[in-house]
Amino acid sequence: MTSDLVIVANRLPVDRIELPDGSVGWRRSPGGLVSALEPVMREDGGAWVGWPGSPDEELAPFEHDGVTLVPVVLTSEDVEEFYEGFSNATLWPLYHDVVAKPEFHREWWDAYVRVNRRFAEAAASVASEGARVWVQDYQLQLVPQMLRELRPDLIIGFYLHIPFPPAELFSQLPWRRQILEGLLGADLIGFQLPEASGNFVRLVRTRVGHKTHRDRIFLPDDRTVRAAAFPIAIDTAGYESLARSPEVEERVQEIRDAAGGRRIFLGVDRLDYTKGIYPRLRAFGELVSEGHLALEDVMFVQVATPSRERVGEYKRMRDEIDRLVGRLNGDLGTIRYPLISYLHSSYPREEMAALYRAADVMVVTPYRDGMNLVAKEYVACRLEEDGALVLSEFAGAAEELRQAWLVNPYDINGIKSALLEAYGAEPKELQRRMRAMRRTVLEHDVASWALSFMEALASGPGEHLKPLRPARKK
Ligand code: F6P
């Protein structure tokens, strides 16, 4: 059986669960991409190609919630060299402003090529004639070209969820040309921000030598590729209704009670060195130690979801944050009032919605971030149009959420001033800012994001034009 719409992503959109009878089952992952694509996937009998998440797992394709899931195997060596290595210790730091030093290893590159080919072959085997295939993110940048070679009939889209770096940084990559050519296999390449698509088009012109005009790239084989910005969004209505639910209301009260009347500053991140957890905690600690904020009045809740734990830089930064939290609590906290509540764990969406509602000041300070959905989730959950958002100017979200207190995460004094201002803002000022930000996240949600990409994909400029709703599953 083949599909007219195929998503190709590093991970499958499901998490493995154990059923009451001890057998293995699958539950839809909480991500916004999944919920945005699910309706159109179902309608079009879509397929999703991805890795089930653990090494050496060989699974046959299976149906889940009306979508065909096509598992791709990663061996332990692939996980080490393709996922932890080239994807997360080479590309990830390189694309995030070289916040950590990227490592370049030829064996990792070989693994990246090998695994990308496996994904391309899996996609080629499930796509029907003329199908639309949408490839996701930095782990799979060679797939568009590989897939086009296997299946020239397909319409291929690619979306990069993380930043695309300026030429000065990208040019460090020994395999820069192969990556650019890999991406050019797509008809449409989507980025978070116009700055990123501009970086890409300039690099294609200078490094590969293709003619370009604005967002169009003209290839020698007469194909035209478009590179444009499609800023990603969240399932706003889903978050709003979650935030409104009686269970979440109840949990908000419990969290507030546990805070004992103190106002809550909140950080929610994957434990990643790009997220700027360190400077925000330092800034907060200094405000308390210098007497600008009183220990009896405030606390900081930092949720740090475990992530990529076997990668060296992640281990190092975890130790660094552990030490800082220990020092701040040890130096400044008391039995009654620990300063920082540090939660190294992942939580369901309900708990996040309750935390967003309970928090007075949301602190999002990445050194570099493609978008940062946490900032948008916080805004979506602020039903009363209150609460303050302190946001790094280096997060993609800062382009849209202009009414946040924008900060430079490298400037600790600047973060301190913004935290104090946000904390002390008048209710009217909070409302003015939050109302405007809520308008933004309500107007532009993940469903409209996915639709705008799919419409742009269907309308060219490649030669493989095709109506948006193709024939049903064969
Ligand atoms: O933000 C990029 C991203 O790859 C997301 O697509 C993903 O949800 C997140 O990071 C976690 O990544 P991983 O799959 O490495 O756990």
Side-chain angles (χ1 to χ4, degrees):
M1 198 152 69
T2 59
S3 299
D4 287 325
L5 174 61
V6 181
I7 303 294
V8 191
N10 183 46
R11 288 184 189 266
L12 285 177
V14 287
D15 297 321
R16 174 193 294 281
I17 49 166
E18 197 177 314
L19 297 172
D21 65 358
S23 63
V24 169
W26 301 92
R27 186 182 43 213
R28 202 178 87 183
S29 328
L33 181 64
V34 189
S35 44
L37 292 174
E38 205 185 32
V40 43
M41 294 282 283
R42 258 200 222 149
E43 204 170 314
D44 285 354
W48 188 304
V49 176
W51 173 44
S54 36
D56 301 306
E57 194 169 18
E58 291 198 36
L59 291 172
F62 60 99
E63 291 280 315
H64 186 268
D65 270 356
V67 177
T68 307
L69 302 183
V70 185
V72 174
V73 186
L74 294 193
T75 64
S76 313
E77 200 182 15
D78 295 332
V79 172
E80 215 174 284
E81 297 181 346
F82 156 78
Y83 171 70
E84 291 164 352
F86 200 80
S87 298
N88 289 315
T90 306
L91 294 173
W92 182 265
L94 181 70
Y95 281 30
H96 286 88
D97 274 3
V98 190
V99 170
K101 195 167 164 41
E103 290 183 47
F104 303 115
H105 298 297
R106 284 164 287 181
E107 323 76 77
W108 289 4
W109 166 252
D110 293 343
Y112 189 75
V113 175
R114 170 174 87 227
V115 172
N116 270 248
R117 180 153 298 121
R118 205 173 300 149
F119 275 86
E121 282 165 0
S125 72
V126 290
S128 55
E129 179 69 24
R132 292 163 294 155
V133 180
W134 191 4
V135 183
Q136 310 288 326
D137 229 355
Y138 63 103
Q139 303 94 342
L140 301 177
Q141 292 171 102
L142 304 179
V143 169
Q145 184 189 32
M146 291 171 169
L147 189 55
R148 182 164 299 285
E149 279 163 14
L150 292 167
R151 292 287 306 273
D153 58 297
L154 300 176
I155 303 176
I156 304 172
F158 179 91
Y159 188 79
L160 186 70
H161 291 253
I162 68 173
F164 189 81
E168 295 72 23
L169 298 180
F170 184 79
S171 299
Q172 290 182 10
L173 188 66
W175 306 279
R176 57 203 180 189
R177 186 167 175 139
Q178 289 94 315
I179 295 279
L180 296 172
E181 286 177 341
L183 290 168
L184 288 171
D187 295 291
L188 175 65
I189 308 172
F191 296 88
Q192 298 281 13
L193 301 180
E195 200 184 9
S197 57
N199 288 344
F200 176 75
V201 172
R202 254 190 313 282
L203 268 158
V204 164
R205 195 167 55 238
T206 54
R207 291 268 168 216
V208 193
H210 293 321
K211 284 206 173 62
T212 67
H213 177 66
R214 298 197 175 152
D215 63 359
R216 302 294 205 267
I217 299 155
F218 306 102
L219 305 191
D221 65 359
D222 278 348
R223 259 187 341 112
T224 301
V225 175
R226 185 172 166 225
F230 296 84
I232 202 166
I234 59 161
D235 171 17
T236 312
Y239 269 97
E240 271 201 328
S241 67
L242 203 58
R244 211 169 259 132
S245 70
E247 297 75 29
V248 167
E249 292 265 8
E250 202 176 301
R251 182 68 188 135
V252 173
Q253 204 43 57
E254 280 172 16
I255 294 170
R256 289 203 177 121
D257 290 347
R262 289 182 293 168
R263 311 248 310 262
I264 299 175
F265 288 67
L266 175 67
V268 173
D269 307 82
R270 266 186 321 100
L271 187 47
D272 191 299
Y273 53 82
T274 60
K275 299 292 183 184
I277 298 172
Y278 191 91
R280 88 179 62 138
L281 294 181
R282 266 202 68 181
F284 183 74
E286 285 183 17
L287 288 174
V288 174
S289 69
E290 290 163 3
H292 300 290
L293 294 174
L295 188 62
E296 316 69 67
D297 294 337
V298 292
M299 68 178 296
F300 203 113
V301 177
Q302 176 64 54
V303 175
T305 309
S307 181
R308 305 172 189 166
E309 291 186 289
R310 299 195 324 175
V311 179
E313 278 299 326
Y314 288 77
K315 287 188 194 149
R316 266 190 290 285
M317 81 95 51
R318 181 172 177 196
D319 288 346
E320 192 180 62
I321 303 290
D322 283 354
R323 269 199 304 276
L324 178 66
V325 171
R327 201 175 69 224
L328 291 173
N329 277 340
D331 288 352
L332 302 169
T334 60
I335 291 180
R336 182 152 183 212
Y337 299 125
L339 184 64
I340 296 166
S341 178
Y342 178 63
L343 308 166
H344 182 242
S345 194
S346 72
Y347 295 94
R349 257 160 66 115
E350 290 74 13
E351 181 70 1
M352 298 322 303
L355 275 169
Y356 292 142
R357 283 207 57 184
D360 300 281
V361 183
M362 181 82 215
V363 193
V364 183
T365 51
Y367 294 118
R368 178 59 70 190
D369 209 330
M371 175 55 64
N372 196 290
L373 298 179
V374 162
K376 293 187 173 181
E377 288 165 9
Y378 178 70
V379 171
C381 289
R382 301 307 300 191
L383 307 168
E384 322 284 343
E385 298 183 332
D386 59 357
L389 174 64
V390 174
L391 177 61
S392 163
E393 58 190 77
F394 303 133
E399 296 295 312
E400 294 167 80
L401 304 178
R402 305 303 301 171
Q403 299 78 12
W405 274 268
L406 294 178
V407 294
N408 170 0
Y410 294 95
D411 173 10
I412 304 233
N413 284 346
I415 302 178
K416 286 166 73 178
S417 310
L419 291 179
L420 268 189
E421 263 187 46
Y423 175 74
E426 295 293 327
K428 266 211 141 354
E429 172 70 1
L430 290 174
Q431 189 189 48
R432 181 187 69 76
R433 292 179 183 242
M434 189 53 75
R435 185 174 282 172
M437 292 194 286
R438 286 182 58 75
R439 211 173 298 130
T440 306
V441 300
L442 281 165
E443 267 166 18
H444 182 54
D445 71 359
V446 72
S448 64
W449 167 79
L451 189 67
S452 67
F453 186 91
M454 294 306 250
E455 278 178 351
L457 183 61
S459 64
E463 69 224 346
H464 313 271
L465 300 185
K466 190 173 178 203
L468 186 61
R469 294 230 172 278
R472 306 219 134 248
K473 184 149 76 168
K474 309 280 175 313

